Amino acid sequence: MSCLTDRNIDSFKNFVDRLLKSPDQVRLDCFRLSHMICSWNDWNNGDHDFDISGWICAALCRGVKEIDLQLSYLEDVLPAVLFTCGSLVTLKLDAVGHNFKFPFDVCIGNLKTSHFRDSFFGDSVLRFISNCHALEDLAFFECDFYNTSEINIQTPSLKRFILDFNLGEFVDLKYMVVINAPNLVYFQYTDAVAQGYTLSTMKSLEKAHITLCGIDTIDSQTIATHLIQGMCNVRSLRLTINGVLLGEIGREIWLVEFLHRMPNLKTLTLNFPVVAGTQWKALEVPSCLSFHLKEIEISCFNTHMIEMVSYFLDNAMILEKLIINMDALTMTQKKKARNQLLQLVKSSKKCLKLVVLL
């Protein structure tokens, strides 16, 4: 998409100035601003002189409930009054590469939703979160924390929490992750394995999406297992393991131990590396597999997973639906695997629906 002309940019600026700074104080529900179609230099090169901070203040004076900013540069743009606004319910900030530093006296008493994207954070964001006592929906998308030894989220009001880091910039993580959010209903976590995890029991957790990489040692395996101790009540889990898992051994043991800690699980989706030679038949059977699991999806099936599928079919006593995604296979492999799966289902004598995605 091409950038706006100077004339159009000036027209837009003047329109917003008149709208927000007019004496007619009409209430404003939402203020959303994005300059993704142009670079920051095009918008703020001195010729146009956008007063974004003034626009935000004007929106706050009009009792705005939602602010959504998608700006590649936010330095000196966010006014301090933004972080003490009593009317604000939703705050979304998307600033590529921006280093956010929140003021000390933050208190957005009615804030329920806060989303951040493509930004860097220190300890000040944790202080900001702890002062938002009504917060229910918190998300960090492709963000990074720096100069902190602990990501500590102490927000009992939270119902939805996303901590989604950029795995493309994987480094050896030096921080602990501590989460006290006992009323979470949805939890999404994407990261390399941290130094450690402490999670309060999430007694209301319905759904979790967990994506991990860097599980290549016994210590990291143990730490990753600690991550799920607070998720023992989850009913629907999507588990993705990227890269090497414990070298070439122990994959099935680790997965089954993982499932042992989730006795109430009803839906399981796996994107999980499996190699030839894994021993499934000798493993103990988790109680969730015997008594609760009704749907299993294997999202990246390969030819080494037949034994894993057989293990699930033999032990999932109330299984109703099995979904197998064969996108990664050749046509010849798909045909052979499909016949094997049909034979396994027939042998299991279970009345279930088999869905094969080719």
Side-chain angles (χ1 to χ4, degrees), residues 157-269:
S157 59
L158 267 188
K159 296 181 180 179
R160 186 174 184 270
F161 182 32
I162 297 175
L163 198 55
D164 187 347
F165 292 112
N166 187 354
L167 293 179
E169 299 180 1
F170 165 66
V171 294
D172 187 20
L173 301 185
K174 301 298 183 183
Y175 51 73
M176 299 277 296
V177 175
V178 179
I179 301 174
N180 177 24
N183 294 307
L184 272 188
V185 176
Y186 176 83
F187 179 45
Q188 179 178 327
Y189 181 79
T190 301
D191 201 2
V193 177
Q195 289 289 302
Y197 299 96
T198 301
L199 276 66
S200 63
T201 300
M202 302 171 185
K203 59 182 183 297
S204 302
L205 193 62
E206 291 286 338
K207 182 179 290 188
H209 287 191
I210 307 298
T211 301
L212 294 172
C213 71
I215 309 180
D216 51 5
T217 67
I218 296 297
D219 287 344
S220 60
Q221 173 206 19
T222 302
I223 293 171
T225 303
H226 291 164
L227 171 64
I228 58 145
Q229 287 182 337
M231 301 190 297
C232 59
N233 292 313
V234 69
R235 288 162 175 77
S236 177
L237 171 68
R238 182 180 183 89
L239 176 63
T240 298
I241 304 297
N242 288 336
V244 177
L245 176 64
L246 299 179
E248 294 298 332
I249 60 172
R251 301 159 191 263
E252 70 279 15
I253 296 174
W254 185 84
L255 175 61
V256 170
E257 182 178 351
F258 208 95
L259 296 177
H260 268 298
R261 298 169 185 260
M262 297 182 169
N264 299 319
L265 199 61
K266 293 183 178 180
T267 303
L268 174 65
T269 301

Side-chain angles (χ1 to χ4, degrees), residues 10 13 17 43-52:
D10 285 333
K13 170 187 173 296
D17 282 340
W43 281 66
N44 204 43
N45 59 12
D47 294 334
H48 307 293
D49 192 23
F50 281 80
D51 184 16
I52 296 178

Side-chain angles (χ1 to χ4, degrees), residues 13-46:
K13 170 187 173 296
N14 294 334
F15 169 76
V16 179
D17 282 340
R18 290 194 304 269
L19 179 67
L20 292 178
K21 297 181 181 180
S22 69
D24 181 13
Q25 290 295 307
V26 177
R27 292 189 65 83
L28 187 66
D29 285 333
C30 178
F31 178 69
R32 181 176 291 115
L33 179 64
S34 170
H35 65 70
M36 303 309 256
I37 60 173
C38 293
S39 69
W40 175 258
N41 289 333
D42 291 331
W43 281 66
N44 204 43
N45 59 12

Side-chain angles (χ1 to χ4, degrees), residues 87-101:
S87 67
L88 202 60
V89 176
T90 299
L91 176 63
K92 297 180 180 181
L93 301 177
D94 181 349
V96 178
H98 182 73
N99 181 357
F100 277 104
K101 294 180 181 178

